[in-house]
Amino acid sequence: MGTPLAAVPSLERMIAAGHEIVAVYSQPDRPSGRGNRITFSPVKQFAVDHGLLVMQPAKVRTDEAAHTFRSHAADVAVVVAYGRILPDSFLSAFHYGAVNVHFSLLPKYRGAAPVNWAIVNGETETGVTTMKMDSGLDTGDILMQRSTPIGSNENAVELMEGLSMIGADLLEETLVQIDRIEPQVQDHAKSTLAPLMSKEDGRVDWKMTACEIANRIRGFQPFPTAFTSFRGARLTLWQGSEAAADELETNNVPGSIVSAAGDVLVVQCGGRTLLQVTEAQPEGKRRMSVRDLINGIRPVNGEILGQ
């Protein structure tokens, strides 16, 4: 049971390991893109390409949905970013219940966006947890865990790609040992939440420190992205890092452009810190290097972002 690209490696691993996949559940098809074309989720596309039975119920909390689910007579349900909270009728349908691959070191970062918030909050380590699902939000007993460092320049898309491969490995290990694993109850007092982001979460508050803003640039990819305004138009920030003060003035209004020349665009942030932007995207244009940005829009020292 899964929907996005991050769930595909787990399904692929199950097939390669010789497990019989009796059904693949994915979210219903939805229109996307400029033409509102109906597109398959990555998990559905992979399942169709491999001749697997695909189920896409509009609702899971119905007697009909529960009956159909039980009829698959599986040993276990494997859930990887399916996108819905499953009812008890699903969780208890099979002998081994439902095993979830969650992209954090539970009980940290329960919720829909653990990878994004780990980066935004400046974590240097994260990982994957396999969990015996219960009716709560990522509150089930831990089966296995594996940690991995977060690179100082790694964004959420890159980190998710790596975690999806770690998750596939950990899932296979979990299923091989499922009869021997002693589930561990989570320490609920140490839990933190990682809710879905809203578009407004991406708006840069220049009163934050440069480090905090750089983490948001990395963490809010591919959605909602970190963005600000410049000359009345949206400016999306794709890459940036804290800059050394050196000889630059650091006592400017937050959001002020301190230096804009060549390959360098430095912006004043809170706490007398500076952010060096290296890749950005003006509204209606492509992503570009700072050199191309400066050549195109000609920013001037002293102009203020975010007004």
Side-chain angles (χ1 to χ4, degrees):
M1 307 183 77
T3 300
L5 184 62
V8 172
S10 289
L11 176 56
E12 187 174 21
R13 182 63 55 83
M14 295 301 93
I15 295 172
H19 295 283
E20 179 188 0
I21 312 298
V22 294
V24 173
Y25 275 64
S26 195
Q27 290 275 12
D29 300 332
R30 293 186 174 89
S32 65
R34 292 183 179 180
N36 275 335
R37 293 183 177 180
I38 298 295
T39 57
F40 292 174
S41 74
V43 166
K44 178 181 177 178
Q45 187 63 62
F46 184 89
V48 169
D49 292 344
H50 288 77
L52 301 173
L53 172 66
V54 177
M55 308 293 295
Q56 296 177 280
K59 297 180 180 180
V60 294
R61 295 182 180 275
T62 67
D63 291 340
E64 180 183 3
H67 174 76
T68 301
F69 192 72
R70 286 193 301 271
S71 73
H72 299 304
D75 296 309
V76 64
V78 169
V79 184
V80 189
Y82 177 47
R84 287 186 174 163
I85 296 177
L86 299 177
D88 289 337
S89 58
F90 276 57
L91 300 179
S92 61
F94 308 135
H95 177 69
Y96 291 110
V99 171
N100 177 231
V101 178
H102 183 77
F103 299 113
S104 83
L105 297 174
L106 291 171
K108 263 194 168 183
Y109 298 110
R110 294 173 177 173
V115 176
N116 304 88
W117 288 110
I119 293 177
V120 169
N121 290 338
E123 301 285 357
T124 58
E125 181 184 63
T126 187
V128 180
T129 302
T130 51
M131 170 188 65
K132 180 72 178 293
M133 294 179 72
D134 62 16
S135 58
L137 178 64
D138 300 326
T139 56
D141 292 351
I142 293 169
L143 299 173
M144 298 184 78
Q145 288 188 319
R146 183 165 298 159
S147 62
T148 187
I150 300 175
S152 59
N153 295 315
E154 195 169 22
N155 65 41
V157 176
E158 295 163 343
L159 180 57
M160 177 61 85
E161 183 178 355
L163 289 174
S164 69
M165 303 307 295
I166 294 172
D169 290 340
L170 195 65
L171 172 62
E172 175 59 11
E173 290 182 32
T174 299
L175 294 183
V176 167
Q177 302 179 52
I178 196 164
D179 282 317
R180 303 190 298 275
I181 295 173
E182 187 68 37
Q184 301 296 313
V185 176
Q186 293 189 42
D187 185 346
H188 302 298
K190 294 182 179 179
S191 68
T192 60
L193 293 179
L196 277 173
M197 295 84 65
S198 68
K199 184 179 291 186
E200 195 60 25
D201 283 326
R203 186 180 299 279
V204 173
D205 178 359
W206 292 104
K207 295 184 181 67
M208 289 183 171
T209 67
C211 181
E212 290 170 329
I213 294 172
N215 288 341
R216 295 173 105 76
I217 293 172
R218 294 189 299 126
F220 287 149
Q221 295 187 33
F223 176 87
T225 69
F227 63 91
T228 188
S229 57
F230 182 63
R231 297 176 184 167
R234 180 185 174 111
L235 180 67
T236 301
L237 308 180
W238 287 105
Q239 288 186 17
S241 58
E242 185 170 4
D246 294 332
E247 299 177 0
L248 295 174
E249 173 60 47
T250 62
N251 194 28
N252 301 282
V253 174
S256 299
I257 295 176
V258 176
S259 178
D263 294 315
V264 176
L265 177 64
V266 178
V267 184
Q268 179 73 58
C269 305
R272 301 188 70 171
T273 60
L274 300 172
L275 180 79
Q276 180 169 334
V277 180
T278 51
E279 186 178 7
Q281 183 175 8
E283 186 172 339
K285 299 185 182 298
R286 61 174 176 82
R287 290 172 61 164
M288 61 184 68
S289 67
V290 157
R291 176 175 287 274
D292 289 343
L293 178 76
I294 291 173
N295 287 340
I297 65 177
R298 304 287 181 180
V300 177
N301 290 0
E303 286 190 277
I304 300 176
L305 302 177
Q307 288 190 334

